Amino acid sequence: HAILGGLVAIHQFIRIGAYAFIGGKSGLRMDMPPYMLAFGAPAKLYGPNLVGLRRHGFPRATIQALKNSYRIMFRSGMTVAEAIETIRQEAAGVPEVENLIQFMLGRSKRGVTR
C-alpha cells in the first residue's frame, strides 16, 4: 500500500514500508519507514501519512499512536534504542507501532530516512 509520486528515484536494495507516501520528484537513498510521508531530493520525513492512513480506515487511536511514535523516534533527539523503549511504554499493544519498531530494528543496508 505504499504510494510513490511521479519521477521518484529509488536506490537499489531500499526497503519501503507499508502505507508510506513518497512525494513526486523525490530521491530515496535510504529505507523508508512504514506509515510515513517523505519528499525531496534527498527525501526527508515530514511525519505520518495522515491522509493515507485515514483513507485506509485506520482508527484515530492508531493514527495518534503513530504520530506520537514519529515525534519520539525521529524528532526527539533520542537514540533509536531509547526511542524504541519509550514508544513501547507509551503505545503498547498497537500493532502498527510495533510494525514501525520492527522496521527500525531490521537490517538496513543504507540507513533509514529521517
Side-chain angles (χ1 to χ4, degrees):
H1 294 281
I3 296 176
L4 290 87
L7 301 173
V8 172
I10 300 174
H11 194 281
Q12 64 184 352
F13 308 120
I14 295 299
R15 297 180 306 150
I16 299 175
Y19 300 97
F21 183 95
I22 304 164
K25 296 175 88 176
S26 294
L28 197 60
R29 58 185 183 186
M30 292 189 260
D31 291 350
M32 177 66 186
Y35 315 109
M36 298 298 150
L37 170 82
F39 178 75
K44 176 184 171 190
L45 287 187
Y46 284 92
N49 177 14
L50 299 176
V51 173
L53 295 172
R54 286 187 200 116
R55 285 181 180 169
H56 280 92
F58 284 82
R60 282 185 180 201
T62 299
I63 294 172
Q64 188 61 46
L66 286 168
K67 285 170 74 172
N68 292 339
S69 298
Y70 164 78
R71 285 188 201 110
I72 294 166
M73 181 71 70
F74 301 107
R75 298 294 175 243
S76 70
M78 294 181 190
T79 66
V80 173
E82 292 170 340
I84 288 172
E85 183 179 325
T86 303
I87 291 168
R88 281 196 168 140
Q89 291 171 0
E90 293 186 12
V94 180
E96 292 80 5
V97 171
E98 187 59 35
N99 186 24
L100 174 62
I101 289 170
Q102 291 305 316
F103 187 91
M104 296 302 292
L105 291 173
R107 304 260 182 211
S108 177
K109 293 182 180 183
R110 300 185 55 86
V112 177
T113 301
R114 291 187 168 268

mmCIF file of all heavy atoms in Angstrom, residues 21-23 26 32-33 35-50 67 70-71 74-75 113-114:
data_model
loop_
_atom_site.group_PDB
_atom_site.id
_atom_site.type_symbol
_atom_site.label_atom_id
_atom_site.label_comp_id
_atom_site.label_asym_id
_atom_site.label_seq_id
_atom_site.Cartn_x
_atom_site.Cartn_y
_atom_site.Cartn_z
ATOM 1 N N PHE A 21 4.261 7.140 1.907
ATOM 2 C CA PHE A 21 3.984 8.015 0.774
ATOM 3 C C PHE A 21 5.249 8.787 0.454
ATOM 4 O O PHE A 21 5.803 9.463 1.331
ATOM 5 C CB PHE A 21 2.853 9.001 1.096
ATOM 6 C CG PHE A 21 2.474 9.882 -0.057
ATOM 7 C CD1 PHE A 21 1.431 9.533 -0.887
ATOM 8 C CD2 PHE A 21 3.176 11.052 -0.318
ATOM 9 C CE1 PHE A 21 1.083 10.351 -1.965
ATOM 10 C CE2 PHE A 21 2.843 11.865 -1.389
ATOM 11 C CZ PHE A 21 1.793 11.511 -2.205
ATOM 12 N N ILE A 22 5.692 8.713 -0.796
ATOM 13 C CA ILE A 22 6.890 9.426 -1.242
ATOM 14 C C ILE A 22 6.456 10.395 -2.334
ATOM 15 O O ILE A 22 5.945 9.981 -3.376
ATOM 16 C CB ILE A 22 7.964 8.450 -1.756
ATOM 17 C CG1 ILE A 22 8.287 7.416 -0.667
ATOM 18 C CG2 ILE A 22 9.209 9.209 -2.178
ATOM 19 C CD1 ILE A 22 9.022 6.206 -1.164
ATOM 20 N N GLY A 23 6.643 11.676 -2.073
ATOM 21 C CA GLY A 23 6.207 12.715 -2.997
ATOM 22 C C GLY A 23 6.961 12.695 -4.313
ATOM 23 O O GLY A 23 8.090 12.218 -4.402
ATOM 24 N N SER A 26 11.104 12.997 -5.915
ATOM 25 C CA SER A 26 11.945 12.790 -4.736
ATOM 26 C C SER A 26 13.049 11.787 -5.052
ATOM 27 O O SER A 26 12.946 11.004 -5.996
ATOM 28 C CB SER A 26 11.108 12.256 -3.569
ATOM 29 O OG SER A 26 10.176 13.222 -3.156
ATOM 30 N N MET A 32 12.667 3.608 3.713
ATOM 31 C CA MET A 32 11.517 4.462 4.013
ATOM 32 C C MET A 32 10.634 3.766 5.037
ATOM 33 O O MET A 32 10.072 2.720 4.756
ATOM 34 C CB MET A 32 10.740 4.715 2.720
ATOM 35 C CG MET A 32 9.503 5.521 2.888
ATOM 36 S SD MET A 32 9.888 7.196 3.383
ATOM 37 C CE MET A 32 8.255 7.815 3.682
ATOM 38 N N PRO A 33 10.510 4.329 6.253
ATOM 39 C CA PRO A 33 9.713 3.687 7.296
ATOM 40 C C PRO A 33 8.237 3.579 6.915
ATOM 41 O O PRO A 33 7.716 4.420 6.171
ATOM 42 C CB PRO A 33 9.873 4.615 8.505
ATOM 43 C CG PRO A 33 11.031 5.479 8.199
ATOM 44 C CD PRO A 33 11.120 5.573 6.713
ATOM 45 N N TYR A 35 4.191 3.871 7.121
ATOM 46 C CA TYR A 35 3.200 4.853 7.591
ATOM 47 C C TYR A 35 3.683 6.301 7.530
ATOM 48 O O TYR A 35 3.003 7.188 8.030
ATOM 49 C CB TYR A 35 2.741 4.553 9.028
ATOM 50 C CG TYR A 35 2.438 3.102 9.277
ATOM 51 C CD1 TYR A 35 3.277 2.333 10.067
ATOM 52 C CD2 TYR A 35 1.327 2.500 8.705
ATOM 53 C CE1 TYR A 35 3.010 0.991 10.288
ATOM 54 C CE2 TYR A 35 1.054 1.159 8.916
ATOM 55 C CZ TYR A 35 1.895 0.409 9.713
ATOM 56 O OH TYR A 35 1.639 -0.923 9.925
ATOM 57 N N MET A 36 4.830 6.560 6.918
ATOM 58 C CA MET A 36 5.395 7.909 6.938
ATOM 59 C C MET A 36 5.294 8.588 5.569
ATOM 60 O O MET A 36 5.090 7.951 4.550
ATOM 61 C CB MET A 36 6.859 7.870 7.380
ATOM 62 C CG MET A 36 7.059 7.348 8.780
ATOM 63 S SD MET A 36 6.260 8.393 10.002
ATOM 64 C CE MET A 36 5.872 7.196 11.253
ATOM 65 N N LEU A 37 5.476 9.902 5.582
ATOM 66 C CA LEU A 37 5.420 10.752 4.402
ATOM 67 C C LEU A 37 6.796 11.377 4.202
ATOM 68 O O LEU A 37 7.375 11.897 5.159
ATOM 69 C CB LEU A 37 4.375 11.847 4.640
ATOM 70 C CG LEU A 37 4.297 12.993 3.649
ATOM 71 C CD1 LEU A 37 3.469 12.550 2.450
ATOM 72 C CD2 LEU A 37 3.659 14.196 4.299
ATOM 73 N N ALA A 38 7.309 11.312 2.974
ATOM 74 C CA ALA A 38 8.620 11.899 2.681
ATOM 75 C C ALA A 38 8.569 12.617 1.343
ATOM 76 O O ALA A 38 7.789 12.273 0.453
ATOM 77 C CB ALA A 38 9.694 10.820 2.659
ATOM 78 N N PHE A 39 9.431 13.619 1.225
ATOM 79 C CA PHE A 39 9.521 14.399 -0.003
ATOM 80 C C PHE A 39 10.910 15.008 -0.080
ATOM 81 O O PHE A 39 11.525 15.303 0.937
ATOM 82 C CB PHE A 39 8.463 15.515 -0.007
ATOM 83 C CG PHE A 39 8.537 16.393 -1.215
ATOM 84 C CD1 PHE A 39 8.069 15.949 -2.438
ATOM 85 C CD2 PHE A 39 9.105 17.640 -1.138
ATOM 86 C CE1 PHE A 39 8.154 16.756 -3.567
ATOM 87 C CE2 PHE A 39 9.195 18.464 -2.262
ATOM 88 C CZ PHE A 39 8.711 18.005 -3.473
ATOM 89 N N GLY A 40 11.390 15.230 -1.291
ATOM 90 C CA GLY A 40 12.641 15.952 -1.512
ATOM 91 C C GLY A 40 13.721 15.089 -2.114
ATOM 92 O O GLY A 40 13.586 13.894 -2.280
ATOM 93 N N ALA A 41 14.817 15.761 -2.483
ATOM 94 C CA ALA A 41 15.962 15.066 -3.059
ATOM 95 C C ALA A 41 17.209 15.557 -2.342
ATOM 96 O O ALA A 41 17.674 16.647 -2.623
ATOM 97 C CB ALA A 41 16.057 15.337 -4.560
ATOM 98 N N PRO A 42 17.718 14.835 -1.374
ATOM 99 C CA PRO A 42 17.253 13.528 -0.910
ATOM 100 C C PRO A 42 15.974 13.656 -0.077
ATOM 101 O O PRO A 42 15.693 14.701 0.513
ATOM 102 C CB PRO A 42 18.398 13.013 -0.042
ATOM 103 C CG PRO A 42 19.079 14.237 0.449
ATOM 104 C CD PRO A 42 18.929 15.266 -0.653
ATOM 105 N N ALA A 43 15.218 12.571 -0.040
ATOM 106 C CA ALA A 43 13.940 12.564 0.671
ATOM 107 C C ALA A 43 14.138 12.808 2.162
ATOM 108 O O ALA A 43 15.111 12.365 2.759
ATOM 109 C CB ALA A 43 13.238 11.228 0.447
ATOM 110 N N LYS A 44 13.188 13.535 2.740
ATOM 111 C CA LYS A 44 13.188 13.840 4.169
ATOM 112 C C LYS A 44 11.802 13.534 4.713
ATOM 113 O O LYS A 44 10.805 13.809 4.036
ATOM 114 C CB LYS A 44 13.515 15.326 4.357
ATOM 115 C CG LYS A 44 13.461 15.801 5.779
ATOM 116 C CD LYS A 44 13.706 17.297 5.863
ATOM 117 C CE LYS A 44 13.428 17.773 7.274
ATOM 118 N NZ LYS A 44 13.406 19.213 7.376
ATOM 119 N N LEU A 45 11.743 12.972 5.920
ATOM 120 C CA LEU A 45 10.451 12.673 6.539
ATOM 121 C C LEU A 45 9.757 13.951 6.982
ATOM 122 O O LEU A 45 10.385 14.857 7.520
ATOM 123 C CB LEU A 45 10.625 11.769 7.763
ATOM 124 C CG LEU A 45 10.980 10.320 7.523
ATOM 125 C CD1 LEU A 45 10.946 9.553 8.840
ATOM 126 C CD2 LEU A 45 10.086 9.656 6.507
ATOM 127 N N TYR A 46 8.433 13.978 6.778
ATOM 128 C CA TYR A 46 7.630 15.116 7.203
ATOM 129 C C TYR A 46 6.521 14.706 8.155
ATOM 130 O O TYR A 46 5.653 15.502 8.462
ATOM 131 C CB TYR A 46 7.041 15.835 5.989
ATOM 132 C CG TYR A 46 8.078 16.674 5.293
ATOM 133 C CD1 TYR A 46 8.819 16.152 4.250
ATOM 134 C CD2 TYR A 46 8.343 17.965 5.713
ATOM 135 C CE1 TYR A 46 9.789 16.917 3.624
ATOM 136 C CE2 TYR A 46 9.308 18.732 5.094
ATOM 137 C CZ TYR A 46 10.029 18.200 4.044
ATOM 138 O OH TYR A 46 10.995 18.951 3.437
ATOM 139 N N GLY A 47 6.522 13.460 8.609
ATOM 140 C CA GLY A 47 5.519 12.992 9.544
ATOM 141 C C GLY A 47 4.784 11.792 9.007
ATOM 142 O O GLY A 47 5.094 11.274 7.942
ATOM 143 N N PRO A 48 3.786 11.350 9.754
ATOM 144 C CA PRO A 48 2.979 10.217 9.295
ATOM 145 C C PRO A 48 2.149 10.587 8.069
ATOM 146 O O PRO A 48 1.783 11.745 7.875
ATOM 147 C CB PRO A 48 2.072 9.910 10.481
ATOM 148 C CG PRO A 48 2.719 10.550 11.652
ATOM 149 C CD PRO A 48 3.448 11.748 11.115
ATOM 150 N N ASN A 49 1.830 9.592 7.269
ATOM 151 C CA ASN A 49 0.988 9.759 6.090
ATOM 152 C C ASN A 49 -0.470 9.805 6.550
ATOM 153 O O ASN A 49 -1.224 8.848 6.385
ATOM 154 C CB ASN A 49 1.243 8.585 5.126
ATOM 155 C CG ASN A 49 0.376 8.627 3.900
ATOM 156 O OD1 ASN A 49 -0.249 9.640 3.599
ATOM 157 N ND2 ASN A 49 0.319 7.507 3.190
ATOM 158 N N LEU A 50 -0.867 10.910 7.140
ATOM 159 C CA LEU A 50 -2.178 11.019 7.775
ATOM 160 C C LEU A 50 -3.328 10.805 6.800
ATOM 161 O O LEU A 50 -4.291 10.091 7.113
ATOM 162 C CB LEU A 50 -2.315 12.383 8.461
ATOM 163 C CG LEU A 50 -1.308 12.673 9.571
ATOM 164 C CD1 LEU A 50 -1.485 14.082 10.103
ATOM 165 C CD2 LEU A 50 -1.426 11.643 10.676
ATOM 166 N N LYS A 67 1.533 9.091 15.274
ATOM 167 C CA LYS A 67 2.028 10.476 15.356
ATOM 168 C C LYS A 67 2.973 10.636 16.543
ATOM 169 O O LYS A 67 4.055 11.228 16.410
ATOM 170 C CB LYS A 67 0.856 11.450 15.487
ATOM 171 C CG LYS A 67 0.084 11.674 14.210
ATOM 172 C CD LYS A 67 -1.188 12.450 14.429
ATOM 173 C CE LYS A 67 -0.955 13.909 14.678
ATOM 174 N NZ LYS A 67 -2.229 14.681 14.703
ATOM 175 N N TYR A 70 6.224 8.839 15.811
ATOM 176 C CA TYR A 70 7.052 9.625 14.886
ATOM 177 C C TYR A 70 7.829 10.702 15.645
ATOM 178 O O TYR A 70 9.036 10.853 15.454
ATOM 179 C CB TYR A 70 6.172 10.273 13.808
ATOM 180 C CG TYR A 70 6.870 11.374 13.056
ATOM 181 C CD1 TYR A 70 7.786 11.071 12.056
ATOM 182 C CD2 TYR A 70 6.647 12.710 13.359
ATOM 183 C CE1 TYR A 70 8.446 12.080 11.371
ATOM 184 C CE2 TYR A 70 7.295 13.719 12.684
ATOM 185 C CZ TYR A 70 8.199 13.396 11.682
ATOM 186 O OH TYR A 70 8.856 14.403 11.022
ATOM 187 N N ARG A 71 7.137 11.435 16.504
ATOM 188 C CA ARG A 71 7.797 12.500 17.264
ATOM 189 C C ARG A 71 8.934 11.948 18.126
ATOM 190 O O ARG A 71 10.003 12.539 18.210
ATOM 191 C CB ARG A 71 6.786 13.228 18.142
ATOM 192 C CG ARG A 71 5.899 14.151 17.367
ATOM 193 C CD ARG A 71 5.034 15.003 18.286
ATOM 194 N NE ARG A 71 3.894 15.483 17.543
ATOM 195 C CZ ARG A 71 2.638 15.091 17.723
ATOM 196 N NH1 ARG A 71 2.340 14.227 18.661
ATOM 197 N NH2 ARG A 71 1.673 15.585 16.985
ATOM 198 N N PHE A 74 11.801 10.157 15.546
ATOM 199 C CA PHE A 74 12.525 10.954 14.562
ATOM 200 C C PHE A 74 12.770 12.410 14.949
ATOM 201 O O PHE A 74 13.546 13.088 14.291
ATOM 202 C CB PHE A 74 11.787 10.908 13.223
ATOM 203 C CG PHE A 74 11.622 9.515 12.682
ATOM 204 C CD1 PHE A 74 10.392 8.901 12.705
ATOM 205 C CD2 PHE A 74 12.702 8.826 12.174
ATOM 206 C CE1 PHE A 74 10.223 7.612 12.214
ATOM 207 C CE2 PHE A 74 12.551 7.548 11.681
ATOM 208 C CZ PHE A 74 11.315 6.935 11.707
ATOM 209 N N ARG A 75 12.121 12.925 15.975
ATOM 210 C CA ARG A 75 12.267 14.345 16.302
ATOM 211 C C ARG A 75 12.709 14.626 17.730
ATOM 212 O O ARG A 75 12.915 15.777 18.083
ATOM 213 C CB ARG A 75 10.957 15.091 16.022
ATOM 214 C CG ARG A 75 10.534 15.051 14.572
ATOM 215 C CD ARG A 75 11.511 15.797 13.687
ATOM 216 N NE ARG A 75 11.165 15.661 12.284
ATOM 217 C CZ ARG A 75 11.938 15.081 11.380
ATOM 218 N NH1 ARG A 75 13.105 14.572 11.722
ATOM 219 N NH2 ARG A 75 11.560 14.999 10.127
ATOM 220 N N THR A 113 15.571 6.740 6.273
ATOM 221 C CA THR A 113 15.236 8.140 6.003
ATOM 222 C C THR A 113 14.739 8.792 7.270
ATOM 223 O O THR A 113 13.951 8.238 8.003
ATOM 224 C CB THR A 113 14.142 8.208 4.909
ATOM 225 O OG1 THR A 113 14.617 7.574 3.730
ATOM 226 C CG2 THR A 113 13.778 9.660 4.610
ATOM 227 N N ARG A 114 15.236 10.002 7.536
ATOM 228 C CA ARG A 114 14.822 10.723 8.755
ATOM 229 C C ARG A 114 14.299 12.080 8.391
ATOM 230 O O ARG A 114 14.587 12.857 7.744
ATOM 231 C CB ARG A 114 15.994 10.864 9.714
ATOM 232 C CG ARG A 114 16.359 9.506 10.264
ATOM 233 C CD ARG A 114 17.408 9.676 11.356
ATOM 234 N NE ARG A 114 17.576 8.453 12.083
ATOM 235 C CZ ARG A 114 16.913 8.118 13.194
ATOM 236 N NH1 ARG A 114 16.055 8.935 13.691
ATOM 237 N NH2 ARG A 114 17.099 6.975 13.775
#
